[in-house]
Amino acid sequence: MQYLAHTMVTEFILLGLSSSWRLQVLLFFIFSVFYEAAVLGNILIIITVIIDSHLHSPMYFLLSNISFIDVCQAMFATPTMIAGFLNEHKTITFQGCMSQIFFLHVFGGSEMVLLVAMAYDRYIAICKPLHYTTIMSRRVCTVLVGVSWAIGISHSASHLAFTVNLPFCGPNRVDNFFSDLPLVIKLACLDTYVFEILVLTNSGLLSFMCFLLLLTSFAYTIILATVHRQASDGMSKALSTLSAHITVVLLFFGPFIFIYIWPFESFPIDKFISVFFTVFTPLLNPMIYTLRNKDIKEAMRTPRRHVGSKQGF
Ligand SMILES: *[C@@H]1O[C@H](CO)[C@@H](O)[C@H](O)[C@H]1NC(C)=O
């Protein structure tokens, strides 16, 4: 706490993605388009799942919860970043920077855990189809969603707990278009090595564990599905939703792991990865599920409202 007395930095300067004004304006338009597509696409998924009774199943509840997180991220974290492209002198207040870090990590963390929950759901659907409705009950679903938010929030809070107390006594230039935690920590006026390791461990462990769980459950599901080859209609449907999920996970984690495995070297590729992570990942669900998933596509064309409740709950 005695750090606070030394703190002088009240705002951070974001250096953005490029020093060229034209490129910044171009980026502004590209980002805006992606941003709007992500918001609309995710809202469309949420509405479709709410109104179509055929989609009232654990898998689609989890999917729409992921879309909900993407919408939250788009509402709280992305607009200021995008607006920043049109500012020649991009600054962000100390509080603004901390809340940006907080939200990014809450949403990122919760979303990763939800992806694991969805993989578990696919595992049950494919490997224990007869027990699916009893195992994935409404209560279990709600618990999974609650746990994912709890993990996201505590993960992010543990980052912030020490970051807000670091002594920022002068340097305040962040070489990115948002206040990226590893870069912000480096500006503190003390040997930040331990803190860098802390961030690396915290974020790294969470993403690594989620990724490992995902890979294990995918491998397990695929192997078991191959062993008990049941060529039913329901099975092929479940397998196609599994492949959609695997696609989302691979695209989600590819850049994410990159950014946190090499955060402290001035890798030029860093910025491009952070662009991918903040702007493209919210688009993954809408792209993959509205284009590839039959149920969602059908539901979007003709929502079915009052068909008897055949669903799982
Ligand atoms: C999230 O999941 C819960 C639990 O299954 C569900 O009741 C709720 O409708 C979902 N929320 C959204 C926004 O999809």
Side-chain angles (χ1 to χ4, degrees), residues 46 49-50 58 60-62 64-65 68 138 141-142 145 313:
I46 297 174
V49 171
I50 289 175
Y60 290 108
F61 280 135
L62 293 175
S64 74
N65 271 283
F68 178 68
R138 179 124 215 172
C141 246
T142 312
V145 170
F313 299 130

Side-chain angles (χ1 to χ4, degrees), residues 8-67:
M8 272 157 42
V9 169
T10 54
E11 61 182 23
F12 292 97
I13 298 173
L14 302 173
L15 298 187
L17 285 179
S18 147
S19 50
S20 143
W21 170 246
R22 277 191 190 171
L23 189 55
Q24 298 266 41
V25 173
L26 179 67
L27 287 170
F28 172 79
F29 283 109
I30 297 175
F31 276 44
S32 304
V33 169
F34 277 102
Y35 171 78
E36 273 148 33
V39 172
L40 290 179
N42 283 304
I43 289 180
L44 191 62
I45 288 187
I46 297 174
I47 292 177
T48 310
V49 171
I50 289 175
I51 62 178
D52 192 309
S53 60
H54 285 217
L55 301 180
H56 290 181
S57 72
M59 180 191 143
Y60 290 108
F61 280 135
L62 293 175
L63 177 70
S64 74
N65 271 283
I66 293 181
S67 283

Side-chain angles (χ1 to χ4, degrees), residues 192-223:
T192 55
Y193 184 72
V194 174
F195 297 103
E196 295 182 18
I197 297 293
L198 247 154
V199 168
L200 187 68
T201 322
N202 189 345
S203 294
L205 264 183
L206 180 63
S207 29
F208 185 69
M209 271 169 20
C210 287
F211 192 58
L212 214 63
L213 281 172
L214 284 164
L215 287 188
T216 321
S217 78
F218 290 154
Y220 210 62
T221 312
I222 291 171
I223 290 170

Side-chain angles (χ1 to χ4, degrees), residues 8 10 27 40 47 51 53 70 83 88 110 129 143 146-147 165 192 262 269 271 284 287 296-297 306:
M8 272 157 42
T10 54
L27 287 170
L40 290 179
I47 292 177
I51 62 178
S53 60
D70 285 337
E88 234 167 318
S110 317
V143 168
V147 166
N165 287 329
T192 55
W262 288 282
I269 203 170
K271 283 187 187 177
L284 286 178
M287 274 189 337
I296 294 255
K297 278 202 286 193
H306 304 295

